[in-house]
């Protein structure tokens, strides 16, 4: 039975209860994070908490927790749930109101919920061990505030489901100008002639922590050029390699999009080099 954190108490998951008037439940009015941890070592803890604080500020939820306070919660959840391959899910909603009214209420306490769930073993830079993704592609129909990691994920869920029901692992998304944005739960990249290219950070995508760590490590390493710019879907279909990244998956090669092979349909050498660099450097963040 997993032990979870809810409003300053650690308790078994089955005993954790929130009000049906919680605005997270009624409106998806909340912010969340997912931090990976392997054998008790978290990847990107500080940037994850910084991003959560940015999200909380953007929606004016005043929680005011320090990094240390979050670190304590994460460390205790890791200890109580057995350090292995875990993701720490951290969730802050605006809290429970007495009525269903859209405006932000003034005097309610945020609901803070956190739990640990098992994720696949630490990804390795090995073409024989990684499973390449087959993905769908779809016009991005989410909102125009995708930089906020909101718990209101129905748009993402519907895009993921679109791919899932046709057997795809993910769904790549593109805007009305046929430009790649991201995927339903990952950032997206192409590789062309040895250059890694990924969409710029703006309101159309989440500023992924894996993206941040990967681009920083690649730039410091210097062996693989990186560009952040508009990527058209024509470029995606013409790419040598396509990848998606997220915290629990790291760098995942995409081998097929909408039934068409990416490049020669094999996992690429630039992926291998990039995941090698990521694996070597990720614990420094
Ligand atoms: N984009 C979306 C929409 C996501 O939901 C996620 C992760 O959940 C990402 C990108 C990747 O972000 P990170 O690398 O911080 O996990």
């Amino acid at each position: 039975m997993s032990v979870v954190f809810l409003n300053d108490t650690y308790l078994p998951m089955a005993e954790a209860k929130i009000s049906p008037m919680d605005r997270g439940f009624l409106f998806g009015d909340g912010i969340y994070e997912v931090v990976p941890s392997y054998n008790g070592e978290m990847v990107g803890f500080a940037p994850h908490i910084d991003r959560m604080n940015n999200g909380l500020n953007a929606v004016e939820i005043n929680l005011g927790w320090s990094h240390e306070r979050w670190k304590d919660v994460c460390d205790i959840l890791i200890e109580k749930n057995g350090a292995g391959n875990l993701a720490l899910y951290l969730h802050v909603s605006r809290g429970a109101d007495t009525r269903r009214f859209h405006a932000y209420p003034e005097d309610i306490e945020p609901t803070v919920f956190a739990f640990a769930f098992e994720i696949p073993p630490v990804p390795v830079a090995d073409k024989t061990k990684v499973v390449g993704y087959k993905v769908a592609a779809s016009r991005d129909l989410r909102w125009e505030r995708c930089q906020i990691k909101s718990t209101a994920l129905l748009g993402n869920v519907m895009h993921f489901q679109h791919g899932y029901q046709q057997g795809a692992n993910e769904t790549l998304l593109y805007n009305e100008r046929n430009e790649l944005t991201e995927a339903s739960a990952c950032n997206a990249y192409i590789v062309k002639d040895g250059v890694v290219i990924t969409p710029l950070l703006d309101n159309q995508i989440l500023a992924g922590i894996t993206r941040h760590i990967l681009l920083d490590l690649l730039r410091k390493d210097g062996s693989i050029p990186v560009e952040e710019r508009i990527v058209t879907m024509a470029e995606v279909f013409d790419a040598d390699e396509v990848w998606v990244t997220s915290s629990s998956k790291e760098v995942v090669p995409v081998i097929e999009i909408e039934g068409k092979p990416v490049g020669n349909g094999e996992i690429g050498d630039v992926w291998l080099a990039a995941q090698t660099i990521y694996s070597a450097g990720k614990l420094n963040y």
Side-chain angles (χ1 to χ4, degrees), residues 30-147:
I31 298 293
Y32 77 106
E33 272 303 324
V34 180
V35 187
S37 166
Y38 297 102
N39 294 320
E41 281 201 274
M42 287 187 275
V43 179
F45 173 78
H48 276 285
I49 301 302
D50 287 342
R51 181 174 65 185
M52 183 155 61
N53 287 335
N54 289 340
L56 292 170
N57 288 338
V59 301
E60 297 173 44
I61 293 177
N62 302 311
L63 183 71
W65 279 28
S66 64
H67 279 227
E68 290 68 34
R69 190 153 176 197
W70 279 117
K71 178 87 173 30
D72 279 350
V73 171
C74 291
D75 285 343
I76 292 170
L77 286 177
I78 291 169
E79 185 203 307
K80 288 187 183 294
N81 289 287
N85 311 313
L86 295 177
L88 285 314
Y89 175 88
L90 315 176
H91 175 130
V92 181
S93 82
R94 196 176 303 279
D97 201 353
T98 51
R99 58 179 181 157
R100 184 183 177 280
F101 179 59
H102 287 57
Y104 303 164
E106 293 203 339
D107 297 321
I108 60 172
E109 285 296 309
T111 301
V112 183
F113 172 59
F115 76 108
F117 63 92
E118 205 175 322
I119 55 173
V122 62
V124 285
D126 181 339
K127 287 189 189 181
T128 66
K129 297 215 169 92
V130 70
V131 179
Y133 269 18
K134 297 181 179 180
V135 305
S138 180
R139 170 73 203 284
D140 193 340
L141 296 175
R142 301 172 300 162
W143 67 341
E144 294 185 15
R145 292 169 171 163
C146 292
Q147 78 280 15

Side-chain angles (χ1 to χ4, degrees), residues 32-34 48 51 142 146 149 153 156 182-187 205-211 245-248:
Y32 77 106
E33 272 303 324
V34 180
H48 276 285
R51 181 174 65 185
R142 301 172 300 162
C146 292
K149 199 166 169 66
L153 283 174
N156 302 62
E182 55 180 347
S184 71
C186 295
N187 290 114
I205 72 171
L206 183 73
I209 303 305
T210 318
R211 178 189 184 284
T245 64
S246 82
S247 291
S248 57

Side-chain angles (χ1 to χ4, degrees), residues 137-183:
S138 180
R139 170 73 203 284
D140 193 340
L141 296 175
R142 301 172 300 162
W143 67 341
E144 294 185 15
R145 292 169 171 163
C146 292
Q147 78 280 15
I148 299 175
K149 199 166 169 66
S150 163
T151 57
L153 283 174
L154 188 55
N156 302 62
V157 165
M158 290 174 76
H159 281 313
F160 187 86
Q161 180 67 18
H162 166 80
Y164 184 76
Q165 67 197 12
Q166 60 195 62
N169 304 100
E170 245 293 12
T171 303
L172 289 183
L173 303 174
Y174 52 88
N175 65 18
E176 72 280 10
R177 293 180 297 281
N178 270 313
E179 297 160 358
L180 176 68
T181 55
E182 55 180 347

